[in-house]
Amino acid sequence: MSRTPLPLTETSSPDHGCGCGCGHDELPVLDARVIPGAIRHGAILGAISQVRPGSGLVLLAPHDPLPLLQQVREAYGDTVDIGYVDRDGDLAGGDGVRVRFTKVAA
């Protein structure tokens, strides 16, 4: 059985204050374009469930994920803030849409 790594990348900011270089101020990016469609929404909902209050993640989606956003609202209500980072990407060129999910409460 081969393992496919989860397409989650840590972004880093070399100067965020504590000097460790690990990028505490940057949110991880989950690239949903490489998750099979049959499990995509479940994988994203699972990733959001693991985010600690006060933190979040950025989703890179192959299209404007309106059905997913509705699922997130139904599952998490007001405990997760949703906002577009980039809604105008070149979808035909593979840029995708970026959406930020921030957990505000447990």
Side-chain angles (χ1 to χ4, degrees):
M1 174 168 74
S2 67
R3 293 180 183 240
T4 303
L6 184 66
L8 187 64
T9 58
E10 294 285 342
T11 57
S12 64
S13 174
D15 185 21
H16 61 80
C18 77
C20 72
C22 65
H24 296 296
D25 295 336
E26 298 291 329
L27 297 177
V29 177
L30 176 59
D31 189 347
R33 299 172 302 173
V34 298
I35 301 172
I39 62 169
R40 187 175 294 152
H41 284 202
I44 296 165
L45 290 168
I48 293 169
S49 76
Q50 298 303 303
V51 172
R52 295 182 198 157
S55 190
L57 64 87
V58 173
L59 174 70
L60 178 53
H63 58 81
D64 196 349
L66 296 175
L68 172 69
L69 300 183
Q70 183 60 36
Q71 281 185 306
V72 171
R73 286 185 185 103
E74 290 170 2
Y76 297 101
D78 293 336
T79 64
V80 174
D81 283 339
I82 302 169
Y84 285 95
V85 175
D86 180 10
R87 196 174 188 178
D88 300 319
D90 178 11
L91 298 180
D95 287 348
V97 174
R98 287 176 173 76
V99 181
R100 180 184 309 109
F101 297 96
T102 305
K103 192 170 280 185
V104 295

